[in-house]
Amino acid sequence: MANPRAKKLADRIKEVIAKRLDKGLRDQRLGFVTITDVQVTGDLQHASIFYTVYGTDEERADSAKALERAKGMLRTEVGRNINSRLTPSLEFIPDGIPENAMHIESLLKEAAERDADTSSQAAGAQYAGDADPYVKPREIVEDEETN
């Protein structure tokens, strides 16, 4: 979205839809929805709206249905509040950021546990052979002189 006009329009659409959702919809299925991002195509004809829903998987599915059903009303609201000849079509896309963050968090926790296990194993470990198995150059010279 290199077009500065598209960026401004995306910001305005995000604000308009967030305010409208804050007022509420008549659909009782709509949960606690947060608009995370809006991307508008370069020709300003289509807007992809990314959102997250706080709650269970069932509440997420119900909120997705409610947003899909209210798409026309929300597009009308956007058309009233932007200064553009054409109102872009709207597409609601669930944002995967929370799930990705939880996955990364679990991976970091697992890595920390493995590090702790490795550290505890290393604390009681002993060398398999000598502590320093490498022959030093001085030792070779001293060995030759003694022979």
Side-chain angles (χ1 to χ4, degrees), residues 39-60:
Q39 295 179 352
V40 178
T41 57
D43 61 357
L44 310 177
Q45 296 290 316
H46 183 75
S48 299
I49 302 163
F50 296 91
Y51 68 95
T52 59
V53 179
Y54 182 75
T56 64
D57 289 337
E58 183 181 333
E59 291 171 336
R60 288 185 189 121

Side-chain angles (χ1 to χ4, degrees), residues 48-114:
S48 299
I49 302 163
F50 296 91
Y51 68 95
T52 59
V53 179
Y54 182 75
T56 64
D57 289 337
E58 183 181 333
E59 291 171 336
R60 288 185 189 121
D62 288 345
S63 294
K65 290 175 188 173
L67 287 173
E68 195 63 33
R69 183 174 170 133
K71 187 187 295 188
M73 185 271 299
L74 291 171
R75 184 172 184 221
T76 302
E77 189 79 22
V78 167
R80 287 185 192 143
N81 290 291
I82 62 171
N83 296 328
S84 181
R85 186 170 59 92
L86 299 171
T87 303
S89 61
L90 304 179
E91 176 186 17
F92 289 95
I93 303 170
D95 202 348
I97 290 176
E99 289 82 14
N100 290 341
M102 287 190 325
H103 179 67
I104 290 171
E105 193 69 32
S106 69
L107 291 175
L108 289 173
K109 184 177 180 180
E110 181 182 341
E113 289 171 358
R114 287 184 179 182

